[in-house]
Amino acid sequence: DAGVIQSPRHEVTEMGQEVTLRCKPISGHDYLFWYRQTMMRGLELLIYFNNNVPIDDSGMPEDRFSAKMPNASFSTLKIQPSEPRDSAVYFCASRKYRAGTEAFFGQGTRLTVV
Amino acid sequence: SQQGEEDPQALSIQEGENATMNCSYKTSINNLQWYRQNSGRGLVHLILIRSNEREKHSGRLRVTLDTSKKSSSLLITASRAADTASYFCATDETGGGADGLTFGKGTHLIIQP
C-alpha cells in the first residue's frame, strides 16, 4: 500500500476563495481523521469518520469548514470562503481500529491564504 | 484541547548523547504513542505502550509510562544526526472518548554533529 495520500502538497489561494483538500486513506482502515497543524495550536483534530460516516466534527473551527467521505477510499476537506487565519498544514490520517493501533499520516497539505 | 504536553519544547544535544523527552497527560488512557515528524513531512509512528505496561523498547528507543503520575518519557540512546525531528506523544483516552489520538505540541530535537 502506498500509505495515506494527500493532494495537493501545497496550495496558495486568495482570501475568499474555495479550497478543497483531498485524502486517500490506507485500504482497509475504518477510521479517517483530519488534523490541522499550526505553530500556535499544535495538532488539532478537526473531524473524523468511521466507515465513511462523520462521527465527531466538534473540532471544525467554523461553518466555513466542511468534510465529506463519499466512499472508503476518498475524503475531502473544504474551506469556503478561505481566510488568512486558515493558513496551516492539514493532515489526513487513517487507522484500522478505534484504539490501540497506530495512525498513519499523509504528507500533509500546506495551505497559504493570502 | 491538548491532552499531552511534551517537555522540553526544544532540546539540542551532541551526536552520540542520549536524548530524553517527557510527556504529561490529563485523563485516563488506553495507551500512549510516540510519533516523529521530520521537517515538512507527516508524522510517523514510533512506539505504542499500553496502560498496563511500564516500559517498552524498540531499537534505540525506550519508553516508560507512569499512569499514577500521568506521564511518559521517550529516551533515544546514542543519538544520530538523522534523529533531528519533532517528537510528539499522543493518547488514546478511555471511557468512550474520541476515537482520534490527542497530540501534544511536541519536542523539537536537534542533534549537533
Side-chain angles (χ1 to χ4, degrees), chain B residues 13-20 59-62 75-83 109 111:
Chain B
I13 61 173
Q14 294 294 124
E15 193 168 19
E17 294 180 339
N18 296 340
T20 299
R60 294 184 296 113
L61 305 180
R62 172 177 169 254
L75 168 68
I76 303 174
T77 60
S79 63
R80 305 167 181 169
D83 295 328
L109 175 65
I111 308 299

Coordinates of all heavy atoms in Angstrom, one line a residue, chain B residues 13-20 59-62 75-83 109 111:
Chain B
I13 N 21.4 18.5 21.5 CA 22.4 17.7 22.1 C 23.5 17.3 21.1 O 23.2 17.5 19.9 CB 21.9 16.4 22.8 CG1 21.2 15.5 21.7 CG2 20.9 16.8 23.9 CD1 20.8 14.2 22.3
Q14 N 24.6 16.8 21.5 CA 25.6 16.4 20.6 C 25.3 14.9 20.2 O 24.7 14.1 20.9 CB 27.0 16.4 21.3 CG 27.5 17.8 21.7 CD 27.7 18.6 20.5 OE1 27.2 19.7 20.3 NE2 28.6 18.1 19.6
E15 N 25.7 14.7 18.9 CA 25.6 13.3 18.4 C 26.3 12.3 19.3 O 27.4 12.5 19.8 CB 26.2 13.3 17.0 CG 25.9 12.1 16.2 CD 26.3 12.2 14.7 OE1 27.1 13.1 14.4 OE2 25.7 11.5 13.9
G16 N 25.6 11.2 19.5 CA 26.1 10.2 20.4 C 25.6 10.2 21.8 O 25.6 9.2 22.5
E17 N 25.1 11.4 22.2 CA 24.5 11.5 23.5 C 23.1 11.0 23.5 O 22.5 10.7 22.5 CB 24.4 13.0 24.0 CG 25.8 13.6 24.2 CD 25.7 15.1 24.6 OE1 24.7 15.7 24.4 OE2 26.7 15.6 25.2
N18 N 22.5 10.8 24.7 CA 21.1 10.3 24.8 C 20.2 11.5 25.0 O 20.5 12.5 25.5 CB 21.0 9.4 26.1 CG 21.8 8.2 26.0 OD1 22.2 7.7 25.0 ND2 22.0 7.6 27.2
A19 N 19.0 11.3 24.4 CA 18.0 12.4 24.4 C 16.8 11.9 25.2 O 16.3 10.8 24.9 CB 17.6 12.8 23.0
T20 N 16.3 12.6 26.1 CA 15.1 12.3 26.9 C 14.1 13.3 26.8 O 14.3 14.5 27.0 CB 15.5 12.1 28.4 OG1 16.4 11.0 28.5 CG2 14.2 11.7 29.2
G59 N 14.6 -1.0 19.4 CA 15.8 -0.5 18.9 C 16.5 0.5 19.9 O 16.7 0.1 21.0
R60 N 16.8 1.7 19.5 CA 17.4 2.7 20.3 C 16.4 3.5 21.2 O 16.8 4.4 21.9 CB 18.3 3.7 19.5 CG 19.5 3.0 18.8 CD 20.3 4.0 18.1 NE 19.6 4.7 17.0 CZ 19.3 6.0 16.9 NH1 19.6 6.8 17.9 NH2 18.6 6.4 15.9
L61 N 15.1 3.1 21.1 CA 14.1 3.8 21.8 C 13.7 3.1 23.0 O 13.6 1.8 23.0 CB 12.8 4.0 20.9 CG 13.0 4.7 19.5 CD1 11.7 4.7 18.8 CD2 13.6 6.0 19.7
R62 N 13.5 3.8 24.1 CA 13.0 3.3 25.3 C 11.9 4.2 25.8 O 12.1 5.4 26.0 CB 14.1 3.1 26.4 CG 13.6 2.7 27.8 CD 14.7 2.6 28.8 NE 14.2 2.4 30.1 CZ 14.3 3.4 31.1 NH1 14.9 4.5 30.8 NH2 13.8 3.2 32.3
L75 N 13.2 7.9 25.6 CA 14.7 8.0 25.6 C 15.2 7.5 24.2 O 14.8 6.4 23.8 CB 15.2 7.2 26.7 CG 16.8 6.9 26.7 CD1 17.5 8.2 27.0 CD2 17.2 5.9 27.7
I76 N 16.0 8.3 23.6 CA 16.7 7.9 22.4 C 18.2 7.8 22.8 O 18.8 8.8 23.1 CB 16.5 8.9 21.2 CG1 15.1 9.2 21.0 CG2 17.3 8.5 20.0 CD1 14.8 10.3 19.9
T77 N 18.7 6.6 22.6 CA 20.1 6.4 23.0 C 21.0 6.6 21.8 O 20.6 6.4 20.7 CB 20.3 5.0 23.6 OG1 20.0 4.0 22.6 CG2 19.5 4.8 24.8
A78 N 22.2 6.9 22.1 CA 23.3 7.1 21.0 C 22.7 7.8 19.8 O 22.6 7.3 18.7 CB 23.8 5.7 20.6
S79 N 22.3 9.1 20.1 CA 21.6 9.9 19.1 C 22.5 10.1 17.8 O 23.7 10.1 17.8 CB 21.2 11.2 19.6 OG 22.4 12.0 20.0
R80 N 21.7 10.2 16.7 CA 22.4 10.4 15.4 C 21.8 11.7 14.8 O 20.7 12.1 15.2 CB 22.1 9.2 14.5 CG 22.5 7.9 15.0 CD 21.9 6.8 14.2 NE 22.2 5.4 14.8 CZ 21.7 4.3 14.4 NH1 20.8 4.3 13.4 NH2 22.1 3.2 14.9
A81 N 22.5 12.3 13.8 CA 22.0 13.5 13.2 C 20.6 13.2 12.6 O 19.8 14.1 12.6 CB 23.0 13.9 12.1
A82 N 20.4 12.0 12.1 CA 19.1 11.7 11.5 C 17.9 11.7 12.5 O 16.8 11.7 12.1 CB 19.2 10.4 10.8
D83 N 18.2 11.7 13.7 CA 17.2 11.8 14.8 C 16.6 13.2 14.9 O 15.6 13.4 15.6 CB 17.7 11.3 16.1 CG 18.1 9.8 16.1 OD1 17.5 9.0 15.4 OD2 19.0 9.5 16.8
L109 N 13.8 18.3 18.6 CA 15.1 17.7 19.0 C 16.1 18.1 17.9 O 15.8 17.8 16.7 CB 15.0 16.2 19.2 CG 16.3 15.5 19.4 CD1 16.9 15.9 20.7 CD2 16.1 14.0 19.4
I111 N 20.1 17.4 16.8 CA 21.3 16.6 17.1 C 22.4 17.3 16.4 O 22.5 17.4 15.2 CB 21.2 15.1 16.6 CG1 19.9 14.5 17.2 CG2 22.5 14.4 17.1 CD1 19.9 14.4 18.7

